[in-house]
Amino acid sequence: MTSRSEVGARRLSTDQLTELGEQIKDVAADLKRSSQLLNTSLKQNPLASDSFAKVQMDRQFASDVINETLNELHSSRTFQTMLDVIEREKKKKINMQNAIIREEEGRRKIKALRNQLQNLQMEKEAEQQNKDEMIAHLKDQVQEMKAKTSTEGKYMKKNAELQVQQTQKKCTEEESKLKEEVQLLKSKIDQEIRIHLEIERFLRQNQADLEEKLELWMEKYDKDIEGKQNELISLKASKTSNLQRLREDSEKYLTYERVIIEDRLERENECKRRTQEEREFRSIIKLQSWWRGVMVRREIGIYKNLKKKVESKGKAKGKGKEKDKKKK
């Protein structure tokens, strides 16, 4: 907006001003012609008086703006007034359009709310109708229940009277039975009392006999306790002597066992020593025989000239045999 105002505020050349003036005059002439045509159309249509007034106001506003712009062009060679008016009108138009859009949205919302309200009213009417039908149905049920309860009440009353009569009859019968049972129980109680007295007398007699027997048993118990204590004392004395004897016998057993173990160990050691000596002796004999064989085979020591002696003896024997053969 500022750039446009700066451009419009510049000084214009004479040719541009003349062209602009001619254009404004043409616009003014067109406005006059359009206003004349509009007047004729409005005269033909008398129902558009409001729109005619609005058009007149717009035409008057346009003519005022054009006159001011012409005056500004003649005086200062600018048309800033027209630019400002155009900007204001644009803003008004935008605001008007926004207002129209908001109004349309409001109308749509109002229409939707009216539809919702209408639907709610229809639902409420249907619900109210259902409730009315339910109330009528419930009234019918109440009437039926009243009739039914009245008949049931009569029936229950008669039934209760019959039950009261039956219970009274049963009560009289049971009362007579209970009286008979009371008499029977009284006789049984008397009998039980007599039996109780006889049992009590028998138990007292038995108690006296048992007390006498208890005294006898207590005396016997004391005597038995005294005898058992004496036996216990003698058993304790025999126990101590037996323990002493057992201790001595155990000591003797330990000494005998130690001696036996020592003797057994000595015999085992002697046996091991003899077996070892026999093994060593056999080994020595084997070693000696092996060494003799080695000395003989290798002619070592005393066996060095043994082979020559044997050979000489063999030759001598051979000669003696030949002589004997010759003699024969």
Side-chain angles (χ1 to χ4, degrees):
M1 181 178 177
T2 55
S3 62
R4 288 179 180 179
S5 62
E6 287 175 359
V7 172
R10 293 176 182 175
R11 295 289 178 177
L12 299 172
S13 62
T14 307
D15 296 332
Q16 291 174 351
L17 288 172
T18 55
E19 290 177 0
L20 186 61
E22 290 176 356
Q23 290 177 0
I24 291 170
K25 286 179 181 180
D26 294 334
V27 170
D30 292 334
L31 285 171
K32 287 179 181 180
R33 285 194 298 272
S34 64
S35 64
Q36 288 175 1
L37 293 171
L38 183 64
N39 288 325
T40 56
S41 64
L42 290 172
K43 286 177 181 179
Q44 292 176 0
N45 189 9
L47 298 174
S49 60
D50 295 334
S51 61
F52 176 72
K54 185 177 184 301
V55 169
Q56 284 293 109
M57 290 173 64
D58 292 339
R59 187 183 65 77
Q60 185 65 37
F61 176 73
S63 64
D64 293 338
V65 170
I66 291 168
N67 291 325
E68 288 178 2
T69 306
L70 288 173
N71 293 327
E72 188 178 359
L73 284 171
H74 289 299
S75 63
S76 61
R77 296 179 181 277
T78 60
F79 54 94
Q80 183 64 35
T81 304
M82 184 175 284
L83 294 174
D84 294 338
V85 170
I86 289 168
E87 290 294 329
R88 285 199 301 273
E89 290 299 322
K90 284 182 178 179
K91 288 182 180 179
K92 286 181 181 179
K93 187 177 181 181
I94 291 167
N95 292 327
M96 184 63 71
Q97 289 178 354
N98 292 329
I100 290 167
I101 291 167
R102 287 196 297 273
E103 186 177 359
E104 289 178 354
E105 290 179 354
R107 286 177 180 175
R108 285 196 296 272
K109 289 181 180 178
I110 289 167
K111 188 176 180 180
L113 291 171
R114 284 178 179 174
N115 291 327
Q116 290 180 1
L117 182 61
Q118 189 175 1
N119 294 327
L120 287 172
Q121 286 178 355
M122 292 173 68
E123 290 177 359
K124 291 292 183 182
E125 288 176 357
E127 187 176 357
Q128 186 66 33
Q129 187 176 359
N130 292 327
K131 287 181 179 179
D132 293 336
E133 291 177 357
M134 183 63 72
I135 289 167
H137 180 66
L138 291 173
K139 285 181 179 179
D140 295 335
Q141 287 184 352
V142 168
Q143 292 296 329
E144 290 178 359
M145 289 296 292
K146 284 181 178 179
K148 189 175 180 180
T149 50
S150 63
T151 54
E152 287 180 354
K154 292 177 182 179
Y155 173 75
M156 292 296 291
K157 185 177 180 181
K158 290 181 180 179
N159 190 12
E161 289 176 354
L162 291 172
Q163 287 181 356
V164 168
Q165 291 177 1
Q166 289 178 359
T167 51
Q168 286 179 354
K169 187 176 180 181
K170 287 181 180 179
C171 288
T172 53
E173 291 176 356
E174 289 180 357
E175 186 177 0
S176 62
K177 288 180 181 179
L178 289 172
K179 286 180 179 179
E180 291 176 357
E181 289 179 358
V182 167
Q183 293 295 329
L184 182 62
L185 288 172
K186 284 181 179 180
S187 62
K188 286 183 178 180
I189 288 168
D190 295 333
Q191 187 178 359
E192 290 291 332
I193 290 169
R194 289 193 300 272
I195 292 168
H196 174 70
L197 293 173
E198 291 177 357
I199 291 169
E200 185 178 0
R201 186 168 57 254
F202 172 75
L203 290 174
R204 285 178 181 176
Q205 184 65 35
N206 195 8
Q207 183 181 3
D209 296 337
L210 289 173
E211 286 178 356
E212 292 177 358
K213 290 180 180 180
L214 180 62
E215 290 178 357
L216 294 173
W217 280 107
M218 289 298 292
E219 291 178 359
K220 186 178 180 182
Y221 171 75
D222 293 334
K223 291 179 180 179
D224 292 337
I225 289 292
E226 187 176 357
K228 294 295 180 182
Q229 284 180 353
N230 294 325
E231 288 180 1
L232 182 62
I233 292 167
S234 62
L235 288 172
K236 285 181 178 179
S238 63
K239 181 181 177 182
T240 52
S241 62
N242 290 328
L243 287 173
Q244 184 67 27
R245 192 182 303 160
L246 179 63
R247 195 179 294 111
E248 292 174 357
D249 292 338
S250 61
E251 290 177 356
K252 288 179 182 181
Y253 172 75
L254 292 172
T255 53
Y256 292 157
E257 187 179 7
R258 188 167 52 254
V259 171
I260 289 166
I261 291 167
E262 290 176 356
D263 184 56
R264 188 181 297 165
L265 291 172
E266 287 178 358
R267 288 180 182 178
E268 288 178 356
N269 293 326
E270 182 67 23
C271 183
K272 287 179 182 179
R273 186 179 61 77
R274 289 178 181 176
T275 52
Q276 185 67 27
E277 287 178 355
E278 288 178 358
R279 287 177 184 174
E280 290 176 356
F281 181 71
R282 290 175 184 172
S283 299
I284 291 166
I285 291 169
K286 288 180 181 179
L287 184 60
Q288 287 177 356
S289 61
W290 173 78
W291 179 246
R292 287 194 192 97
V294 171
M295 289 175 70
V296 170
R297 285 193 297 275
R298 295 185 181 181
E299 296 178 357
I300 299 169
I302 59 174
Y303 300 102
K304 187 174 183 181
N305 297 320
L306 182 63
K307 188 174 181 181
K308 293 179 180 180
K309 291 179 179 180
V310 171
E311 288 178 355
S312 61
K313 287 180 179 181
K315 287 179 179 180
K317 288 180 178 180
K319 288 178 179 181
K321 288 179 180 179
E322 286 178 358
K323 288 179 180 180
D324 291 334
K325 286 179 181 180
K326 289 178 178 180
K327 286 179 180 180
K328 290 178 178 180

